Amino acid sequence: MIDAATLPLGRIKVLDLTLARSGPTCVRHLGDWGADVLRIEPPGSAAGEITGKQDGFDHQNLHRNKRCMTLDLKTEEGQAIFRRLAADADVVVENMRAPVKYKLKVDYETLSALNPRIVYGSISGFGQDGPYAHRAGLDQIVQGMGGLMSITGLPGQGPVRVGIPIADLTAGNLLALGIMMALYEREATGRGKWVQTSLLEAMIFMLDFQASRWLMAGEVPGQAGNDHPTGIPTGVFPTVDRPITIAASSARHWTRFCEVVGRPEWLQHPEWQTMTGRSKDRAAINEAISSVTATQPSAHWISLLEEAGIPCGPINTVDQVFADPQVQHLRMAQPVTHPRLGEQHIVGTAINMAGVEEGIRLPTPSHGQHTAEVLASLGYDDAAIAGLREKGVV
């Protein structure tokens, strides 16, 4: 097993109060890179409804490299135990609705008074303040409110959600980055910070150039389907066996593309000589390219275009992704042995660091698996722990 002490975050202690996906995504980064993550879950069977099925693929993928204890933060004793844990922690992460943390007395102001070095990370749906602060945020709701659904899908199709919870995942990724910046600053100042993001902010951030089109050029982007919104030709084209994606929008790539597919006359087409002209005439260009690519198998075109330096590739299903030799080389399917579920594979980290061994250190824990261990480390004996269990505190 990989020794956490050898990893970059091996000296960092994290208390994980997160639910659903955005918060656990953030904490997963910290755990993957060596942090001692203690996940706090409410006692009782209701926890399975909150965190997802304990043995399911989603829960197992989200909560690896963590320990887990149960604690009822609605009780005074539970809050007192959490404060003891927080006094020695480096990071607390939560993604509750903005007012809830104050009701539970696990807010930044309360905890930083006990431990000024604490870095407190928060994800909310819409921000910690403002007219929507009280609202619960869900990925699909924010995909709609953040503009993504209006630019996804085929022209005229109507709004379409992205096939992954992109607002949740991006918010989690960004909060992990913010926490790391706060930890780095703490090295100089000795004090922690409250780091915040929201699903809405993350979604707008991910609009990227599409947002800039409006802010700087006054253009409201629409749906472009499989075409790039501004760079043509970039899209999906048929072959004898399966579709492929091709990106030949730059002047250099367009010239090479016309030559290698045997259509040099396209270069003489007056409206196709500039990117602006190609964008205006995209339907005709796509039809012309499709009539050529449909004559040969996908492997033929991928080999030909790759040799000419033109970006292209197959459109894989998820099983084909993990069968791809490059994906296997990158070890994106990480093995882990679960004490109850046996041998499994879960999605590996996408970050690589020279000289640092990668892999899953700890399988996803069972509900409350480490409760007694954590309480014992705080000085509770067996009788005291049994008493806490009897009262439903843990």
Side-chain angles (χ1 to χ4, degrees):
M1 188 176 73
I2 299 170
D3 183 0
T6 66
L7 298 176
L9 299 183
R11 67 184 187 279
I12 300 299
K13 294 182 179 180
V14 178
L15 298 178
D16 177 7
L17 291 175
T18 65
L19 303 171
R21 186 178 312 280
S22 61
T25 296
C26 166
V27 178
R28 180 173 58 187
H29 282 296
L30 307 179
D32 282 352
W33 290 95
D36 177 10
V37 175
L38 178 60
R39 177 167 174 77
I40 311 293
E41 293 184 347
S45 58
E49 299 172 11
I50 296 172
T51 60
K53 295 180 179 179
Q54 297 280 310
D55 293 347
F57 54 83
D58 199 15
H59 186 85
Q60 292 294 313
N61 189 56
L62 274 174
H63 299 298
R64 80 283 189 98
N65 290 329
K66 302 178 184 180
R67 297 185 297 153
C68 178
M69 75 173 295
T70 54
L71 193 61
D72 187 353
L73 293 174
K74 295 179 181 178
T75 66
E76 290 187 7
E77 287 177 286
Q79 292 171 6
I81 291 170
F82 185 79
R83 286 194 294 270
R84 291 183 63 182
L85 292 169
D88 189 43
D90 297 286
V91 177
V92 171
V93 186
E94 58 87 19
N95 62 332
M96 308 169 187
R97 284 187 297 113
V100 174
K101 66 180 72 63
Y102 295 99
K103 293 180 181 179
L104 299 179
K105 299 179 183 177
V106 295
D107 56 278
Y108 173 68
E109 291 83 357
T110 298
L111 300 184
S112 64
L114 297 171
N115 179 359
R117 288 176 55 81
I118 204 143
V119 172
Y120 191 99
S122 294
I123 298 176
S124 60
F126 302 98
Q128 297 297 317
D129 48 37
Y132 297 167
H134 65 286
R135 294 175 59 173
L138 295 174
D139 179 270
Q140 182 150 335
I141 306 305
V142 172
Q143 283 196 35
M145 294 178 67
L148 183 63
M149 291 174 69
S150 74
I151 58 174
T152 303
L154 299 171
Q157 181 179 4
V160 177
R161 71 178 292 275
V162 172
I164 59 172
I166 191 169
D168 279 342
L169 296 173
T170 302
N173 294 340
L174 291 173
L175 187 64
L177 175 62
I179 287 170
M180 293 307 304
M181 289 191 287
L183 287 171
Y184 182 74
E185 183 190 47
R186 191 183 72 174
E187 295 294 310
T189 67
R191 296 191 63 87
K193 281 274 176 66
W194 187 7
V195 184
Q196 309 165 23
T197 191
S198 67
L199 302 191
L200 184 59
E201 289 166 292
M203 190 69 272
I204 296 170
F205 171 80
M206 286 297 285
L207 290 178
D208 198 63
F209 77 94
Q210 294 280 47
S212 292
R213 287 177 69 183
W214 162 248
L215 292 174
M216 299 181 68
E219 299 177 5
V220 179
Q223 293 169 303
N226 289 321
D227 293 331
H228 189 278
T230 57
I232 303 300
T234 300
V236 175
F237 302 94
T239 73
V240 168
D241 52 352
R242 60 172 174 161
I244 61 173
T245 184
I246 301 171
S249 60
S250 72
R252 179 170 61 90
H253 284 147
W254 173 241
T255 298
R256 286 186 181 179
F257 178 78
C258 294
E259 291 171 348
V260 299
V261 301
R263 292 296 189 275
E265 66 272 17
W266 290 351
L267 297 172
Q268 307 307 316
H269 196 299
E271 295 179 353
W272 296 1
Q273 294 180 9
T274 66
M275 187 176 295
T276 300
R278 292 194 297 275
S279 292
K280 290 180 179 178
D281 207 20
R282 70 175 65 200
I285 290 178
N286 287 346
E287 185 178 354
I289 294 173
S290 296
S291 69
V292 174
T293 58
T295 64
Q296 297 287 344
S298 58
H300 168 83
W301 295 118
I302 291 171
S303 176
L304 188 71
L305 296 175
E306 279 187 350
E307 188 174 350
I310 298 168
C312 63
I315 298 176
N316 291 326
T317 56
V318 174
D319 57 323
Q320 291 169 334
V321 169
F322 285 99
D324 186 282
Q326 182 65 24
V327 175
Q328 293 183 353
H329 171 78
L330 294 171
R331 300 179 65 235
M332 287 304 296
Q334 284 286 334
V336 61
T337 302
H338 192 280
R340 203 159 30 76
L341 303 177
E343 297 294 327
Q344 301 183 95
H345 282 84
I346 53 180
V347 184
T349 179
I351 301 171
N352 301 285
M353 192 175 297
V356 178
E357 185 180 2
E358 295 179 16
I360 308 301
R361 293 178 293 107
L362 302 171
T364 295
S366 300
H367 178 57
Q369 179 178 334
H370 301 95
T371 301
E373 172 187 306
V374 173
L375 291 173
S377 72
L378 296 176
Y380 290 85
D381 60 22
D382 291 346
I385 294 171
L388 291 171
R389 290 191 189 280
E390 186 176 345
K391 289 187 286 186
V393 176
V394 298

